[in-house]
Amino acid sequence: MTDTLAAPATHLLEVRHSRFLAHAEAVDGPVPAMQFVARVSDPDATHNCWAWRIGQDYRSSDDGEPAGTAGRPILAAIDGQGYDRIAVVVTRWYGGIKLGAGGLVRAYGGTAAECLRIAPRQPLVAMADLGLACAFDDLGLVHAALPAHAAEKTGERFEADGAHLSLRLPAAQVDALQRRLRDATRDRVRFHIPQHPETH
């Protein structure tokens, strides 16, 4: 089980007169990740190095630092702290003393790792979509069961044959909700997994 950030986080570290400031934030896709990078980067700073991970998708940038000394250590900090769906930017203001490749790796990776270590965490819960159809007489039972399974109604339509609901709920709750509603309605509820034309 991986986590994301419950709230944006920052951490400042000074290494031999250079200041390193990490900004971290939860993101839900590459576009918001790059928007976050653009928003928190300081154009007056020496470097704005960054990394983000969203599932199997990831990117990083050394922003002019020697190759592999900034972006990759930031990404390693994200992975090492067990995070997903986050972006981290570490901004550096040069203090006049060269740190060398090893020093840069430690400074960028260390600032990012400490920022994430002290940040508020939130477990990532896999969500699932579920459709169901029921008779009007069973609608009260269906609605009563939803909160216990953290199910959110995302759509509802009424047809001649009854009510049709679209739900979003934690994937781990799907089987339990289906069992509960089958028992409560004597197996009159029908379930289906909605087909989404667009891909996510």
Side-chain angles (χ1 to χ4, degrees):
M1 181 68 117
T2 54
D3 291 341
T4 192
L5 288 172
T10 60
H11 181 69
L12 179 66
L13 181 71
E14 194 162 310
V15 182
R16 302 177 74 185
H17 304 299
S18 278
R19 284 189 308 136
F20 293 84
L21 177 62
H23 284 91
E25 188 168 290
V27 292
D28 58 9
V31 171
M34 294 311 297
Q35 289 169 338
F36 168 73
V37 169
R39 192 172 74 244
V40 302
S41 292
D42 182 345
D44 298 327
T46 319
H47 302 281
N48 291 285
C49 305
W50 52 265
W52 52 258
R53 173 174 290 288
I54 297 135
Q56 298 303 307
D57 217 357
Y58 62 89
R59 277 187 60 198
S60 65
S61 168
D62 295 316
D63 190 36
E65 291 283 30
T69 61
R72 278 205 303 250
I74 296 168
L75 184 62
I78 292 171
D79 294 342
Q81 294 288 329
Y83 277 100
D84 191 5
R85 294 181 169 259
I86 71 164
V88 179
V89 178
V90 180
T91 300
R92 179 192 185 191
W93 293 269
Y94 181 59
I97 299 172
K98 290 192 184 301
L99 301 181
L104 290 173
V105 168
R106 285 190 296 277
Y108 281 105
T111 306
E114 185 62 13
C115 179
L116 296 177
R117 190 187 70 74
I118 61 177
R121 299 173 85 94
Q122 177 177 315
L124 272 172
V125 177
M127 300 296 284
D129 292 312
L130 181 67
L132 69 82
C134 68
F136 294 120
D137 291 350
D138 293 325
L139 201 51
L141 291 168
V142 169
H143 279 140
L146 301 184
H149 300 278
E152 174 189 332
K153 194 167 58 172
T154 57
E156 185 173 45
R157 66 179 204 283
F158 301 103
E159 309 268 335
D161 63 346
H164 297 261
L165 277 66
S166 301
L167 307 175
R168 187 157 179 77
L169 68 160
Q173 291 285 333
V174 170
D175 289 345
L177 176 64
Q178 288 178 319
R179 270 196 313 276
R180 177 174 178 165
L181 289 176
R182 282 190 180 118
D183 291 348
T185 65
R186 293 190 194 75
D187 209 17
R188 289 190 301 266
V189 174
R190 294 288 166 257
F191 299 97
H192 66 276
I193 305 299
Q195 299 301 312
H196 292 297
E198 74 279 5
T199 54
H200 293 286

